[in-house]
Amino acid sequence: MKRLLALVALLLLAGCETVGYYAQAAGGHLEIIGAARPIEKWLSDPATPEALRERLATARRIRQFASERLGLPDNGSYRSYAELGRPFAVWNVFAAAEFSVDAKQECFPVTGCVAYRGFFSERDARRHAEELRKQGYDVHVGGVPAYSTLGWFDDPLLSTFIRYPDPQLARLVFHELAHQLVYAPDDTTFNESFAVVVEEEGVRRWLEAEGRLAELDGFRALQERRRVFADKVKGTRERLAEAYKSGASKDEMRRRKSEEYEKLRGEYPNFVPKEPNNAFLVSIALYNELVPVLEQVMKDAGSLEAFYARARELAKSGKLKRPKPPGPAATSAEYRRSS
């Protein structure tokens, strides 16, 4: 009830311009919470399909490992399940100016500023995206299978990801629980990069504990491919940042922008939008930019418990916030000098 009243308070604090957005956010989340039932009830229900029963049993095992072996929050999150009847839980709208590789910030009470705005309706998300396009922004809309309420509510397992392969299911659960453990207001890149480091370490330990080493090799190979792609995007973003601050004409900057995208699409035609789009670059960078330096933090810490403590300190101090526009990736040596 206290958490529900907090959501109502957010609506009362919001101005007329944003009250509709907060209303859809509160209503969309409460609809999901209302649809959730404890895993045990799904497992004991004769009407539950056998395939879903198997996925829920696996998810329960993953959830237990998260708290007992990874030190992630031991609460009601991911101990219930909800059928949504749609492909994604939310749709995130990213925006960036035509000649900028920095995200348009969206600021909210409690969570601070983030680099996107989320909607529980794809129609609402695309309507908002169109409004931003009319204002001259580059816009990228991405469907998201899960989200975190940072421990305010018991987030349920969802039909949008329950049928993922085991390593990917574990990755997602560990990632979202990591957001409940450490969260830096106004720093989406830190938060997502921290969660990625936790998820990868968590999946490694879980698969090793289950003796599934062949699957671990496959998971590592997939993650490496993702990192190679992220590095390509990072390089594109950095070169465009230099072009945008070079003082060149708008036509010249548009030409450079088009050239960079043609190169990126040439290597990844199935992942990169056809039209040059700074917001797409932002959506990829948020999840990867600080991963290497945070992996070094974990290595130096020597244990997950010490890593979490150090991450909390860094989240509070902001030492790992990146300069704008983005420069070369932070190195472990730079981390040590800042520590």
Side-chain angles (χ1 to χ4, degrees):
M1 180 58 68
K2 289 181 179 178
R3 292 173 178 133
L4 178 58
L5 291 174
L7 285 177
V8 174
L10 292 183
L11 291 174
L12 295 175
L13 287 170
C16 294
E17 183 179 355
T18 56
V19 68
Y21 174 75
Y22 286 115
Q24 71 84 29
H29 176 68
L30 292 177
E31 182 180 0
I32 289 177
I33 293 296
R37 290 195 298 163
I39 291 177
E40 285 70 22
K41 288 190 176 181
W42 286 95
L43 294 177
S44 62
D45 187 344
T48 300
E50 188 58 34
L52 176 58
R53 194 186 306 276
E54 185 276 330
R55 300 312 298 146
L56 291 175
T58 298
R60 184 172 58 178
R61 200 165 69 249
I62 290 169
R63 183 62 183 85
Q64 184 176 358
F65 186 90
S67 295
E68 294 182 356
R69 304 286 292 276
L70 300 180
L72 293 172
D74 188 5
N75 53 30
S77 290
Y78 307 109
R79 300 186 191 280
S80 61
Y81 172 73
E83 288 277 357
L84 299 189
R86 59 179 190 258
F88 298 107
V90 295
W91 285 261
N92 287 341
V93 180
F94 300 85
E98 182 183 6
F99 302 122
S100 173
V101 294
D102 296 325
K104 178 183 184 297
Q105 296 294 301
E106 301 281 359
C107 298
F108 310 101
V110 182
T111 58
C113 297
V114 295
Y116 53 83
R117 179 170 285 212
F119 293 84
F120 285 87
S121 162
E122 182 178 11
R123 182 183 62 181
D124 290 344
R126 297 201 178 279
R127 182 184 297 125
H128 180 65
E130 186 57 32
E131 291 174 356
L132 291 171
R133 287 192 186 95
K134 290 178 180 178
Q135 297 173 33
Y137 286 100
D138 284 8
V139 181
H140 176 69
V141 180
V144 181
Y147 64 94
S148 173
T149 59
L150 307 181
W152 279 55
F153 292 85
D154 291 335
D155 301 322
L157 298 161
L158 301 173
S159 56
T160 51
F161 62 84
I162 193 64
R163 292 172 179 82
Y164 281 7
D166 288 4
Q168 297 305 317
L169 177 61
R171 179 187 68 80
L172 190 146
V173 170
F174 299 155
H175 182 106
E176 299 304 333
L177 286 172
H179 285 316
Q180 296 185 16
L181 192 68
V182 177
Y183 184 82
D186 307 332
D187 196 344
T188 305
T189 303
F190 177 91
N191 295 326
E192 297 301 343
S193 296
F194 169 76
V196 168
V197 172
V198 172
E199 76 180 41
E200 292 191 358
E201 179 65 13
V203 172
R204 180 186 69 80
R205 295 187 181 205
W206 182 65
L207 290 176
E208 286 180 347
E210 296 223 333
R212 299 162 67 170
L213 301 185
E215 290 175 81
L216 177 57
D217 290 340
F219 176 77
R220 284 173 169 164
L222 177 59
Q223 295 302 97
E224 181 58 28
R225 289 195 294 273
R226 287 176 171 169
R227 290 201 182 193
V228 170
F229 175 59
D231 285 343
K232 294 287 186 179
V233 169
K234 175 178 174 294
T236 300
R237 189 169 177 243
E238 290 177 350
R239 289 190 295 274
L240 285 176
E242 293 178 1
Y244 295 154
K245 65 181 181 182
S246 67
S249 67
K250 290 184 178 181
D251 286 343
E252 174 61 18
M253 287 192 290
R254 290 187 181 111
R255 185 188 67 80
R256 293 278 299 278
K257 185 177 181 179
S258 179
E259 287 181 350
E260 288 294 341
Y261 266 87
E262 285 181 10
K263 293 178 184 177
L264 192 61
R265 270 188 58 79
E267 294 188 68
Y268 298 95
N270 297 324
F271 296 98
V272 179
K274 293 181 179 179
E275 296 297 325
N277 191 320
N278 295 324
F280 169 75
L281 298 181
V282 166
S283 72
I284 301 300
L286 290 175
Y287 289 82
N288 299 279
E289 192 167 287
L290 293 177
V291 168
V293 69
L294 284 169
E295 286 180 330
Q296 184 63 51
V297 175
M298 182 169 62
K299 182 178 179 180
D300 292 347
S303 69
L304 279 179
E305 183 179 13
F307 170 57
Y308 297 155
R310 182 61 177 137
R312 289 190 187 94
E313 294 173 0
L314 292 168
K316 185 176 181 179
S317 69
K319 286 184 178 180
L320 290 186
K321 286 186 178 180
R322 296 186 59 79
K324 295 182 179 182
T331 64
S332 58
E334 287 169 341
Y335 155 67
R336 291 192 184 98
R337 284 199 298 272
S338 69
S339 299

